[in-house]
Amino acid sequence: MAKDYYGIPYSLDSSYLDMEITIQNNDGIGLRPFPIKNILLVFAAITSCMVMLSKTFIASGSFIQKGIFMAVWGSLCFVLLMIGRTKQIGLEKIISLLGYIQPGSRLVSTRSMSPASPFIRVCGFTGIDENGMIHYADGSVGVVFDIVGNASVLLFSDHRNAVVDRVDTFYRKMRPKTTYHYITNSEAQNVYMQIAHFSERKKNLTVYDPDLEAMININEHFLAGVIGNSYKSFHQYMLIQAPGREEMNAALNIFYDEADNSELMFKFAEQLDREETEEFMKNIYSGEEKHF
């Protein structure tokens, strides 16, 4: 049964130091939530500054020298402990940057005489077969579907409960070694069906009229050249990844059963073929936009 409220469990890859706490007064006014580790690091930085000002050679310096040290120390701590959009502190970014600066981490040789392993690690997959199935370097396989979901805050309560119950049932059938990846891309609108419709209308004309044919050609050109290239919309894909073909076949049977027998979770689902999967991967790894 659908619930009125759902609790979001804490991430399994986080420790107690990553838990966020909010510092507020009785009126609810205060700072935004901060992870516990960041608050401890700030206190450690303040304590270290006080110890160096009182217990080290800096204590014998003048007032101006101490002020300069405090300004430099504060700026350094601000850079190293500032939290970014990814909730990482500057120190973690600097550690990643040091690894990226090394030439071996930034250059991948693509010559035929060079080992293929470094290049494979960039994308993680080794090839795409004729059916559109992706083969990964670790031996797993994946299939990409173009999907349209069924969710809206404007649903009636009965319909909403039916959708939630159906989604809950679907995930309970999920294979334990199978992973579902949802990807949302901003791509140009698909106009294949509209162009095919105009071509069919032109083919079925019983009377030849140059003006009518010119109008149909203009519509086809506008669809393909303008709408199919300039006007973007959101497209959602689902990548099913399994450790092998046997697990993949079992996962696909569950997926097809859900897509064929109900529209509560998937209103539309279509598997991508090899050409469409290559375009999908090109859009992700190269940033190249997909056009008609």
Side-chain angles (χ1 to χ4, degrees), residues 208-266:
Y208 175 77
D209 187 347
D211 294 333
L212 182 59
E213 184 176 3
M215 183 179 65
I216 295 177
N217 292 334
I218 292 175
N219 290 333
E220 289 182 349
H221 175 73
F222 184 79
L223 282 172
V226 180
I227 297 180
N229 287 331
S230 302
Y231 290 85
K232 295 184 178 180
S233 61
F234 288 106
H235 297 258
Q236 191 170 27
Y237 301 91
M238 184 177 70
L239 170 61
I240 302 179
Q241 186 175 359
R245 286 185 174 271
E246 184 176 353
E247 284 289 333
M248 175 58 71
N249 292 334
L252 290 178
N253 289 335
I254 296 175
F255 174 79
Y256 287 135
D257 179 71
E258 178 65 30
D260 294 340
N261 297 326
S262 173
E263 293 186 352
L264 292 177
M265 184 169 182
F266 300 108

XYZ file of all heavy atoms in Angstrom, residues 208-266:
477
model
N -1.063 16.355 -59.094
C 0.196 17.059 -58.913
C -0.050 18.563 -58.892
O -0.646 19.126 -59.813
C 1.183 16.706 -60.035
C 2.474 17.510 -59.951
C 3.445 17.185 -59.028
C 2.673 18.597 -60.816
C 4.611 17.924 -58.954
C 3.835 19.339 -60.736
C 4.817 19.000 -59.800
O 5.965 19.738 -59.710
N 0.397 19.198 -57.840
C 0.274 20.647 -57.695
C 1.616 21.168 -57.196
O 2.035 20.826 -56.080
C -0.848 20.992 -56.715
C -1.119 22.492 -56.660
O -0.292 23.268 -57.183
O -2.150 22.884 -56.107
N 2.314 21.961 -57.986
C 3.641 22.439 -57.555
C 3.591 23.250 -56.279
O 4.508 23.167 -55.441
C 4.117 23.268 -58.746
C 2.884 23.610 -59.514
C 1.947 22.470 -59.320
N 2.533 24.030 -56.077
C 2.435 24.823 -54.850
C 2.243 23.924 -53.629
O 2.840 24.145 -52.569
C 1.276 25.817 -54.959
C 1.520 26.861 -56.034
O 2.715 27.136 -56.316
O 0.543 27.388 -56.592
N 1.382 22.910 -53.790
C 1.147 21.987 -52.674
C 2.413 21.194 -52.349
O 2.766 21.000 -51.181
C -0.005 21.050 -53.019
C -0.408 20.039 -51.934
C -0.810 20.757 -50.658
C -1.544 19.155 -52.432
N 3.124 20.742 -53.363
C 4.360 20.009 -53.133
C 5.417 20.908 -52.491
O 6.177 20.480 -51.602
C 4.887 19.449 -54.451
C 6.125 18.575 -54.281
C 6.575 17.963 -55.588
O 5.966 18.265 -56.638
O 7.550 17.176 -55.554
N 5.471 22.166 -52.924
C 6.426 23.103 -52.324
C 6.099 23.344 -50.856
O 7.011 23.454 -50.013
C 6.422 24.419 -53.098
N 4.801 23.407 -50.514
C 4.417 23.607 -49.123
C 4.823 22.412 -48.261
O 5.310 22.567 -47.134
C 2.906 23.838 -49.043
C 2.411 24.140 -47.635
S 0.636 24.442 -47.573
C 0.023 22.816 -48.049
N 4.631 21.196 -48.814
C 5.033 20.000 -48.062
C 6.549 19.973 -47.889
O 7.062 19.631 -46.813
C 4.530 18.737 -48.779
C 3.002 18.689 -48.778
C 5.096 17.483 -48.109
C 2.426 17.510 -49.528
N 7.303 20.356 -48.929
C 8.761 20.383 -48.826
C 9.228 21.402 -47.794
O 10.193 21.159 -47.054
C 9.372 20.697 -50.190
C 9.165 19.576 -51.182
O 9.007 18.408 -50.804
N 9.154 19.908 -52.469
N 8.548 22.544 -47.722
C 8.903 23.560 -46.730
C 8.650 23.041 -45.319
O 9.457 23.240 -44.406
C 8.108 24.860 -46.995
C 8.580 25.513 -48.296
C 8.268 25.830 -45.827
C 7.763 26.721 -48.694
N 7.525 22.344 -45.143
C 7.236 21.777 -43.820
C 8.270 20.728 -43.433
O 8.714 20.678 -42.268
C 5.836 21.164 -43.819
C 4.742 22.206 -43.892
O 4.941 23.339 -43.464
N 3.594 21.832 -44.444
N 8.666 19.870 -44.375
C 9.686 18.868 -44.082
C 11.014 19.540 -43.732
O 11.699 19.127 -42.783
C 9.865 17.933 -45.282
C 8.710 16.985 -45.519
C 8.974 16.056 -46.688
O 9.963 16.300 -47.420
O 8.208 15.101 -46.874
N 11.384 20.565 -44.496
C 12.641 21.266 -44.226
C 12.599 21.963 -42.871
O 13.591 21.963 -42.126
C 12.910 22.278 -45.335
C 14.122 23.126 -45.082
N 15.413 22.636 -45.199
C 14.238 24.431 -44.700
C 16.269 23.597 -44.915
N 15.583 24.700 -44.606
N 11.458 22.544 -42.526
C 11.336 23.228 -41.238
C 11.422 22.239 -40.080
O 12.071 22.513 -39.062
C 10.007 23.991 -41.192
C 9.826 24.802 -39.937
C 10.453 26.027 -39.792
C 9.029 24.329 -38.913
C 10.295 26.776 -38.634
C 8.859 25.065 -37.756
C 9.489 26.294 -37.613
N 10.779 21.093 -40.244
C 10.850 20.080 -39.187
C 12.267 19.562 -39.004
O 12.775 19.463 -37.876
C 9.896 18.927 -39.511
C 8.414 19.146 -39.249
C 7.609 17.988 -39.806
C 8.146 19.307 -37.764
N 12.919 19.212 -40.105
C 14.253 18.616 -40.025
C 15.324 19.643 -39.690
O 16.237 19.370 -38.906
C 14.597 17.912 -41.338
N 15.238 20.840 -40.276
C 16.314 21.814 -40.107
C 16.174 22.724 -38.924
O 17.188 23.196 -38.387
N 14.946 22.978 -38.482
C 14.741 23.928 -37.389
C 14.317 23.207 -36.108
O 15.035 23.208 -35.109
C 13.696 24.991 -37.787
C 13.482 25.980 -36.634
C 14.133 25.738 -39.039
N 13.138 22.586 -36.161
C 12.647 21.918 -34.951
C 13.542 20.744 -34.569
O 13.848 20.537 -33.391
C 11.196 21.456 -35.164
C 10.289 22.657 -35.397
C 10.712 20.636 -33.970
C 8.847 22.314 -35.618
N 13.994 19.963 -35.557
C 14.826 18.802 -35.264
C 16.233 19.139 -34.819
O 16.971 18.248 -34.391
N 16.640 20.412 -34.899
C 17.991 20.800 -34.507
C 18.024 21.842 -33.401
O 18.951 21.850 -32.588
C 18.772 21.342 -35.708
C 19.172 20.254 -36.679
O 19.368 19.114 -36.283
N 19.271 20.595 -37.954
N 17.039 22.731 -33.365
C 17.107 23.874 -32.462
C 16.232 23.712 -31.225
O 16.630 24.101 -30.129
C 16.704 25.152 -33.208
O 17.542 25.366 -34.332
N 15.048 23.162 -31.377
C 14.116 23.074 -30.253
C 14.430 21.814 -29.435
O 14.377 20.699 -29.946
C 12.673 23.029 -30.757
C 12.216 24.341 -31.346
C 12.478 24.656 -32.674
C 11.524 25.267 -30.571
C 12.071 25.862 -33.222
C 11.101 26.475 -31.108
C 11.378 26.765 -32.435
O 10.971 27.952 -32.967
N 14.757 22.032 -28.169
C 15.171 20.923 -27.318
C 14.058 20.525 -26.364
O 13.189 21.320 -26.022
C 16.424 21.297 -26.512
C 17.659 21.533 -27.364
C 18.863 21.809 -26.491
C 20.109 21.997 -27.339
N 21.309 22.270 -26.511
N 14.124 19.298 -25.937
C 13.201 18.768 -24.936
C 13.959 17.727 -24.109
O 15.032 17.262 -24.498
C 11.967 18.144 -25.599
O 12.357 17.060 -26.436
N 13.376 17.376 -22.967
C 14.010 16.402 -22.085
C 13.618 14.992 -22.510
O 12.439 14.701 -22.738
C 13.600 16.639 -20.631
C 14.219 17.866 -20.027
C 13.461 19.004 -19.814
C 15.553 17.879 -19.691
C 14.026 20.135 -19.270
C 16.135 19.009 -19.147
C 15.375 20.142 -18.933
N 14.621 14.139 -22.623
C 14.421 12.736 -22.964
C 14.993 11.887 -21.826
O 16.137 12.107 -21.400
C 15.123 12.389 -24.272
C 14.599 13.142 -25.458
N 13.743 12.580 -26.383
C 14.806 14.411 -25.872
C 13.449 13.469 -27.310
N 14.082 14.597 -27.018
N 14.208 10.942 -21.361
C 14.643 10.089 -20.263
C 14.947 8.684 -20.772
O 14.174 8.125 -21.565
C 13.590 10.027 -19.159
C 14.108 9.359 -17.882
C 13.152 9.519 -16.720
O 11.957 9.657 -16.919
N 13.674 9.487 -15.503
N 16.065 8.166 -20.308
C 16.504 6.828 -20.699
C 16.727 5.995 -19.448
O 17.028 6.519 -18.369
C 17.803 6.892 -21.506
C 17.706 7.704 -22.778
C 18.006 9.063 -22.787
C 17.300 7.111 -23.970
C 17.910 9.809 -23.950
C 17.201 7.845 -25.141
C 17.518 9.202 -25.118
O 17.416 9.942 -26.272
N 16.581 4.702 -19.609
C 16.881 3.764 -18.537
C 17.863 2.725 -19.055
O 17.609 2.075 -20.070
C 15.619 3.075 -18.018
C 15.902 2.164 -16.817
S 14.429 1.387 -16.120
C 14.026 0.256 -17.416
N 18.968 2.612 -18.373
C 20.004 1.634 -18.714
C 19.935 0.488 -17.715
O 20.137 0.689 -16.513
C 21.386 2.293 -18.690
C 22.595 1.366 -18.799
C 22.576 0.597 -20.105
C 23.892 2.159 -18.665
N 19.616 -0.694 -18.199
C 19.603 -1.899 -17.369
C 20.943 -2.582 -17.517
O 21.338 -2.953 -18.626
C 18.463 -2.850 -17.782
C 17.112 -2.143 -17.693
C 18.464 -4.098 -16.902
C 15.934 -3.002 -18.102
N 21.644 -2.757 -16.418
C 22.970 -3.378 -16.422
C 22.941 -4.633 -15.561
O 22.464 -4.614 -14.426
C 24.026 -2.397 -15.906
C 25.451 -2.913 -16.008
C 26.471 -1.865 -15.593
O 26.111 -0.746 -15.252
N 27.739 -2.217 -15.632
N 23.447 -5.725 -16.118
C 23.462 -7.011 -15.435
C 24.836 -7.653 -15.601
O 25.556 -7.362 -16.559
C 22.368 -7.926 -15.992
N 25.221 -8.544 -14.681
C 26.556 -9.149 -14.756
C 26.754 -10.107 -15.921
O 27.877 -10.440 -16.258
C 26.702 -9.870 -13.411
C 25.307 -10.101 -12.948
C 24.503 -8.943 -13.459
N 25.681 -10.565 -16.542
C 25.803 -11.503 -17.661
C 24.510 -11.577 -18.441
O 23.488 -10.972 -18.086
N 24.541 -12.339 -19.540
C 23.361 -12.447 -20.400
C 22.210 -13.152 -19.693
O 21.031 -12.825 -19.926
C 23.729 -13.195 -21.679
C 24.556 -12.360 -22.664
C 24.777 -13.107 -23.951
N 25.449 -12.277 -24.944
C 24.832 -11.485 -25.813
N 23.496 -11.431 -25.806
N 25.496 -10.769 -26.685
N 22.505 -14.131 -18.862
C 21.434 -14.847 -18.173
C 20.672 -13.916 -17.235
O 19.435 -13.898 -17.215
C 22.020 -16.030 -17.396
C 20.967 -16.896 -16.723
C 21.562 -18.115 -16.042
O 22.788 -18.351 -16.205
O 20.810 -18.822 -15.347
N 21.416 -13.153 -16.443
C 20.766 -12.187 -15.556
C 20.058 -11.105 -16.354
O 18.992 -10.618 -15.963
C 21.806 -11.564 -14.615
C 22.252 -12.463 -13.479
C 21.158 -12.654 -12.439
O 20.301 -11.759 -12.307
O 21.164 -13.692 -11.760
N 20.636 -10.720 -17.487
C 20.016 -9.700 -18.319
C 18.686 -10.187 -18.879
O 17.690 -9.445 -18.908
C 20.954 -9.297 -19.451
C 20.355 -8.318 -20.457
S 19.793 -6.766 -19.710
C 21.387 -6.029 -19.330
N 18.637 -11.428 -19.345
C 17.380 -11.978 -19.874
C 16.294 -12.015 -18.804
O 15.126 -11.699 -19.081
C 17.626 -13.381 -20.425
C 18.490 -13.377 -21.669
O 18.524 -12.394 -22.412
N 19.196 -14.470 -21.910
N 16.672 -12.368 -17.575
C 15.691 -12.389 -16.485
C 15.199 -10.973 -16.164
O 14.007 -10.756 -15.932
C 16.308 -13.030 -15.241
N 16.127 -10.003 -16.163
C 15.734 -8.620 -15.889
C 14.848 -8.063 -17.004
O 13.892 -7.323 -16.750
C 16.976 -7.748 -15.705
N 15.162 -8.410 -18.252
C 14.351 -7.933 -19.374
C 12.949 -8.532 -19.353
O 11.976 -7.861 -19.729
C 15.044 -8.260 -20.697
C 16.319 -7.468 -21.007
C 16.925 -7.930 -22.322
C 16.029 -5.973 -21.056
N 12.829 -9.778 -18.924
C 11.498 -10.385 -18.823
C 10.633 -9.635 -17.818
O 9.437 -9.399 -18.060
C 11.624 -11.850 -18.415
C 12.201 -12.712 -19.527
O 12.082 -12.375 -20.708
N 12.835 -13.810 -19.164
N 11.234 -9.245 -16.699
C 10.486 -8.475 -15.697
C 10.109 -7.103 -16.253
O 8.987 -6.625 -16.072
C 11.331 -8.331 -14.412
C 11.585 -9.706 -13.778
C 10.649 -7.403 -13.413
C 12.509 -9.673 -12.581
N 11.042 -6.482 -16.959
C 10.796 -5.144 -17.502
C 9.708 -5.195 -18.579
O 8.781 -4.365 -18.583
C 12.083 -4.565 -18.067
C 11.896 -3.255 -18.769
C 11.765 -2.082 -18.052
C 11.843 -3.193 -20.159
C 11.586 -0.862 -18.686
C 11.670 -1.985 -20.806
C 11.540 -0.814 -20.072
N 9.821 -6.138 -19.508
C 8.826 -6.240 -20.576
C 7.439 -6.577 -20.022
O 6.419 -6.091 -20.537
C 9.252 -7.289 -21.593
C 10.394 -6.858 -22.477
C 11.468 -7.710 -22.732
C 10.410 -5.598 -23.065
C 12.521 -7.317 -23.550
C 11.450 -5.193 -23.874
C 12.509 -6.060 -24.116
O 13.533 -5.659 -24.915
N 7.398 -7.397 -18.997
C 6.112 -7.745 -18.385
C 5.450 -6.495 -17.793
O 4.235 -6.313 -17.924
C 6.333 -8.807 -17.311
C 5.036 -9.187 -16.615
O 4.193 -9.843 -17.246
O 4.880 -8.824 -15.438
N 6.255 -5.638 -17.167
C 5.706 -4.413 -16.591
C 5.278 -3.431 -17.672
O 4.204 -2.819 -17.591
C 6.754 -3.761 -15.681
C 6.325 -2.451 -15.053
C 5.169 -2.628 -14.096
O 5.064 -3.715 -13.489
O 4.371 -1.679 -13.959
N 6.095 -3.281 -18.709
C 5.787 -2.315 -19.769
C 4.596 -2.751 -20.612
O 3.831 -1.896 -21.105
C 7.016 -2.112 -20.657
N 4.395 -4.060 -20.787
C 3.312 -4.559 -21.641
C 1.973 -4.622 -20.926
O 0.921 -4.455 -21.555
C 3.662 -5.943 -22.181
C 4.846 -5.915 -23.139
O 5.138 -4.826 -23.673
O 5.491 -6.967 -23.325
N 1.996 -4.864 -19.620
C 0.749 -5.124 -18.898
C 0.217 -3.927 -18.125
O -0.894 -3.995 -17.585
C 0.941 -6.298 -17.924
C 1.263 -7.591 -18.651
O 0.773 -7.830 -19.755
N 2.078 -8.435 -18.032
N 0.982 -2.863 -18.030
C 0.515 -1.717 -17.263
C 1.207 -0.450 -17.751
O 2.342 -0.498 -18.235
C 0.797 -1.919 -15.764
O 0.483 -0.748 -15.034
N 0.503 0.683 -17.631
C 1.080 1.980 -17.946
C 1.262 2.838 -16.702
O 1.511 4.033 -16.795
C 0.197 2.731 -18.948
C 0.149 2.089 -20.324
C -0.625 2.942 -21.316
O -1.232 3.946 -20.873
O -0.622 2.619 -22.518
N 1.142 2.224 -15.532
C 1.263 2.985 -14.297
C 2.702 3.400 -14.021
O 2.934 4.439 -13.394
C 0.721 2.162 -13.125
C -0.784 1.918 -13.138
C -1.194 1.028 -11.975
C -1.549 3.239 -13.094
N 3.672 2.621 -14.479
C 5.070 2.980 -14.264
C 5.711 3.500 -15.541
O 6.412 4.506 -15.527
C 5.863 1.789 -13.735
C 7.311 2.142 -13.416
S 8.170 0.853 -12.502
C 9.779 1.638 -12.275
N 5.499 2.813 -16.648
C 6.063 3.235 -17.936
C 4.925 3.440 -18.930
O 4.239 2.489 -19.301
C 7.034 2.179 -18.480
C 8.198 1.889 -17.581
C 8.262 0.685 -16.899
C 9.214 2.804 -17.407
C 9.326 0.398 -16.068
C 10.280 2.531 -16.578
C 10.337 1.325 -15.904
